[in-house]
């Protein structure tokens, strides 16, 4: 095999666009969100032995929400959180900052998998987003929270019909405030010659500064009495009498219960690993736009945007008037390896830059200040799954597939319900009780992902028509998405 990286990228196949290449000349290869003067100093690593009621493994959103809500439910519970690097270092500090109400990776995916539960899942998702907004206010988390909603935009004729169908489904379910926008209406909101229509979910998505959200949650946890250790990777999980023991490089934690929030990294429960395929997503951030540049594109109501192709772009404005532009390419490494050197992929940065100026030609000359990537814990059903191990003393939530900014709080509630042995409105859901299909072992996984990516590219180019391979994947419940 010539390379261990499998990338779906059409934009980089031809001759380089000189203006796109020039726009990347000064970009820093690090996440914009983490490149912040307000980034907190890391906490010390765990040295020696700790004992607690609940150990949370992972210092991203999933782990932080679990620790915080555990203390809200029972302030006397002793909670310890260990993080292998620093709080928010991985996906929680690298994402686009789209905090969505959807728990199912969109209405379409939810309707295909849990049609009988979809209305309930939407209700719970909107309640979850309301709870996030409330927590941000209650704990004084300064994360640039803006509940501006999101517009899904059509950039090909067949996608216009798909957006109309999505609007009809939303109206039928009575969820959210979703409005179909024709070409003139969507371009009145954000002006791009590539936009043919849009679907504006007015209340179902908020924009956040993702790293500041993680840092704020960590501060709230610490103020509630959670003991947080950074640079403390969990290396091994084993039963130890009535407790669980987690080995770390310089010590050990003995806990009555353990919640695993490890995202794309290998789970301490080995049987869970086949359910996750780590894939790499990438993003660019522009320099701050001038008032004239902003006037050229409109965007006065600051909604998040995403196009509706199989391989899609997501984009939004920051508090300091930059544009984040990400998505499209999917990079999978043979064997599902997750390593720091895989975070950057210059061919993808070039593709993204070319597509940016195709979308916004009026911004010709804008430069990108940052370029970065990170791993996403995708699963075959594109939305989180849950489970327990070691007689119910260990729980996990995984597989958010890029929509974890909001859904991880719901996942934290599910994990705590499972640890409590409670039958709740969450644990009764078929979505919570079922598992996705696992991915096959290598090299079948590698080949299958490659064929699926190729097929999805062809579908984007052929009016959305899915070939026999994609139809077969749909039938058995397997798929792939960015």
């Amino acid at each position: 095999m010539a390379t261990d990286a499998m990338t779906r990228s059409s934009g980089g196949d031809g001759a380089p666009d000189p203006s796109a290449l020039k726009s990347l000349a000064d970009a820093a290869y690090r996440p914009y969100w983490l490149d912040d003067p307000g980034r907190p100093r890391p906490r010390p690593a765990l040295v020696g032995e700790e004992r607690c009621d609940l150990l949370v493994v992972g210092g991203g959103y999933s782990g932080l929400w679990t620790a915080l809500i555990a203390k809200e439910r029972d302030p006397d519970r002793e909670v310890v959180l260990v993080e292998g690097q620093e709080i928010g270092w991985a996906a929680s500090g690298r994402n686009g900052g789209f905090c969505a109400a959807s728990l199912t990776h969109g209405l379409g995916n939810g309707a295909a998998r849990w049609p009988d539960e979809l209305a309930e899942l939407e209700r719970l998702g909107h309640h979850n987003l309301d709870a996030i907004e409330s927590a941000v206010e209650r704990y004084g988390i300064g994360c640039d929270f803006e509940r501006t909603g999101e517009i899904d935009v059509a950039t090909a004729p067949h996608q216009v019909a798909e957006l109309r169908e999505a609007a009809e489904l939303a109206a039928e379910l009575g969820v959210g405030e979703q409005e179909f926008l024709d070409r003139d209406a969507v371009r009145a909101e954000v002006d791009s010659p590539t936009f043919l229509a849009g679907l504006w979910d007015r209340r179902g998505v908020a924009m956040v500064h993702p790293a500041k959200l993680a840092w704020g949650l960590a501060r709230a946890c610490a103020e509630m009495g959670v003991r947080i250790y950074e640079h403390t990777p969990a290396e091994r999980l084993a039963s130890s009498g009535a407790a669980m023991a987690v080995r770390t490089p310089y010590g050990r934690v003995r806990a009555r219960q353990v919640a695993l929030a490890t995202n794309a990294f290998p789970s301490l429960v080995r049987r869970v690993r086949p359910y996750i395929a780590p894939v790499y997503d990438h993003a660019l951030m522009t320099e701050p736009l001038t008032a004239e540049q902003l006037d050229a594109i409109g965007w006065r109501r600051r909604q998040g945007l995403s196009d509706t192709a199989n391989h899609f772009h997501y984009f939004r404005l920051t508090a300091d008037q930059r544009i984040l532009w990400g998505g499209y390419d999917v990079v999978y490494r043979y064997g599902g390896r997750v390593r720091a050197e895989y975070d950057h992929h210059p061919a993808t940065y070039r593709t993204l830059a070319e597509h940016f100026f195709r979308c916004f030609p009026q911004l010709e000359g804008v430069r990108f200040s940052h370029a970065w990537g990170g791993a996403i814990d995708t699963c075959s059903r594109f939305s989180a799954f849950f489970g327990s191990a070691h007689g119910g003393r260990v729980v996990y939530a995984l597989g958010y597939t890029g929509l974890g900014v909001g859904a991880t709080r719901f996942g934290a509630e599910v994990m705590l319900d499972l640890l409590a042995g409670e039958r709740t409105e969450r644990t009764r859901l078929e979505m919570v009780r079922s598992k996705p299909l696992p991915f096959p072992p290598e090299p079948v996984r590698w080949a299958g992902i490659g064929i699926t990516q190729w097929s999805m590219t062809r579908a984007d180019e052929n009016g959305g028509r899915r070939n026999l391979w994609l139809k077969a994947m749909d039938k058995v419940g397997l798929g792939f998405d960015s």
Side-chain angles (χ1 to χ4, degrees):
M1 191 170 297
T3 175
D4 72 346
M6 178 175 292
T7 311
R8 181 260 175 242
S9 175
S10 64
D13 293 340
D17 179 343
S19 62
L21 293 179
K22 186 177 179 180
S23 71
L24 293 164
D26 301 319
Y29 276 21
R30 56 183 178 268
Y32 166 79
W33 310 115
L34 298 176
D35 193 16
D36 190 290
R39 183 173 182 172
R41 293 173 60 87
R43 296 167 174 84
L46 170 66
V47 176
E49 184 160 304
E50 262 279 19
R51 294 175 179 267
C52 59
D53 298 315
L54 173 65
L55 171 64
V56 179
V57 178
Y61 299 137
S62 187
L64 292 165
W65 281 118
T66 302
L68 183 62
I69 296 170
K71 291 294 283 186
E72 289 176 340
R73 290 187 181 188
D74 180 2
D76 294 328
R77 186 183 331 201
E78 285 195 282
V79 180
V80 169
L81 184 149
V82 296
E83 160 57 36
Q85 295 284 335
E86 295 177 13
I87 295 296
W89 165 83
S92 296
R94 297 166 185 264
N95 63 82
F98 286 64
C99 187
S102 179
L103 304 175
T104 62
H105 216 283
L107 277 176
N109 192 50
R113 299 182 187 279
W114 304 286
D116 296 337
E117 290 184 345
L118 187 55
E120 177 71 356
L121 287 165
E122 286 294 308
R123 181 188 69 79
L124 289 170
H126 281 268
H127 173 77
N128 183 65
L129 182 55
D130 291 342
I132 292 172
E133 184 173 15
S134 177
V136 165
E137 181 178 352
R138 184 167 66 254
Y139 292 108
I141 298 174
C143 61
D144 304 332
F145 189 98
E146 299 180 90
R147 199 155 176 178
T148 53
E150 178 180 4
I151 302 177
D152 291 334
V153 295
T155 57
H158 72 275
Q159 296 167 7
V160 177
E162 292 172 358
L163 290 182
R164 288 189 184 277
E165 291 172 5
E168 292 168 2
L169 177 59
E172 180 183 323
L173 293 170
V175 296
E177 303 173 36
Q178 303 209 16
E179 178 185 354
F180 179 82
L181 306 174
D182 63 19
R183 180 180 179 276
D184 291 341
V186 71
R187 292 190 63 175
E189 294 296 328
V190 185
D191 190 13
S192 167
T194 67
F195 295 173
L196 304 180
L199 181 62
W200 185 2
D201 183 349
R202 290 178 175 268
R203 294 282 299 164
V205 183
M207 298 293 105
V208 300
H209 184 303
K212 288 182 178 178
L213 176 58
W215 299 334
L217 288 172
R219 175 183 54 78
C221 285
E223 291 172 353
M224 292 283 283
V226 177
R227 301 193 292 277
I228 300 174
Y229 298 95
E230 296 182 77
H231 295 288
T232 304
E235 297 179 332
R236 185 172 178 272
L237 171 71
S239 296
S240 179
M244 299 301 302
V246 172
R247 177 68 61 184
T248 69
Y250 308 124
R252 184 176 71 160
V253 183
R254 284 174 53 84
R256 188 169 58 86
Q257 296 176 321
V258 178
L260 300 178
T262 49
N263 190 42
F265 297 92
S267 176
L268 293 177
V269 178
R270 296 186 67 89
R271 70 169 184 266
V272 178
R273 295 181 185 181
Y275 291 96
I276 293 295
V279 298
Y280 279 83
D281 183 55
H282 297 83
L284 303 176
M285 186 71 81
T286 71
E287 62 191 354
L289 301 187
T290 66
E292 292 77 14
Q293 288 167 332
L294 284 168
D295 284 344
I297 57 175
W299 216 342
R300 294 173 185 82
R301 292 193 255 202
R302 301 178 58 80
Q303 308 96 326
L305 283 94
S306 175
D307 63 55
T308 55
N310 288 312
H311 291 281
F312 59 91
H313 308 84
Y314 54 87
F315 39 118
R316 48 79 56 99
L317 290 168
T318 65
D320 59 350
Q321 310 295 11
R322 301 168 186 261
I323 296 177
L324 177 141
W325 178 265
Y328 193 73
D329 277 354
V330 177
V331 182
Y332 175 73
R333 301 284 177 168
Y334 187 86
R337 291 186 289 267
V338 180
R339 296 177 181 170
E341 60 262 35
Y342 297 159
D343 289 344
H344 301 293
H345 203 250
T348 293
Y349 298 149
R350 191 187 87 194
T351 297
L352 286 171
E354 291 172 350
H355 291 185
F356 176 86
F357 292 111
R358 191 179 304 163
C359 180
F360 294 123
Q362 60 269 55
L363 296 182
E364 183 71 27
V366 166
R367 309 278 283 214
F368 294 103
S369 64
H370 294 75
W372 72 94
I376 291 174
D377 59 333
T378 195
C379 71
S380 64
R381 72 185 194 186
F382 307 153
S383 54
F385 65 94
F386 314 90
S388 61
H390 292 276
R393 291 178 292 172
V394 177
V395 294
Y396 54 84
L398 293 166
Y400 291 97
T401 316
L403 234 66
V405 181
T408 45
R409 186 192 174 280
F410 175 83
E413 296 258 36
V414 171
M415 286 196 286
L416 292 170
D417 289 351
L418 293 173
L419 287 174
E422 295 176 350
R423 185 169 174 81
T424 67
E425 62 181 354
R426 290 175 289 269
T427 61
R428 284 193 294 266
L429 292 167
E430 174 63 22
M431 176 197 175
V432 170
R433 292 185 291 109
S434 64
K435 293 280 196 304
L437 287 174
F439 292 102
E442 301 290 14
V444 178
R445 176 188 292 204
W446 167 271
I449 288 174
I451 295 169
T452 302
Q453 290 194 65
W454 178 87
S455 298
M456 293 177 79
T457 302
R458 299 288 80 78
D460 284 338
E461 296 170 349
N462 294 314
R465 291 184 292 276
R466 299 171 76 80
N467 64 15
L468 291 176
W469 176 267
L470 290 180
K471 290 177 180 178
M473 294 297 99
D474 293 340
K475 189 171 184 178
V476 300
L478 278 167
F480 203 76
D481 201 353
S482 61

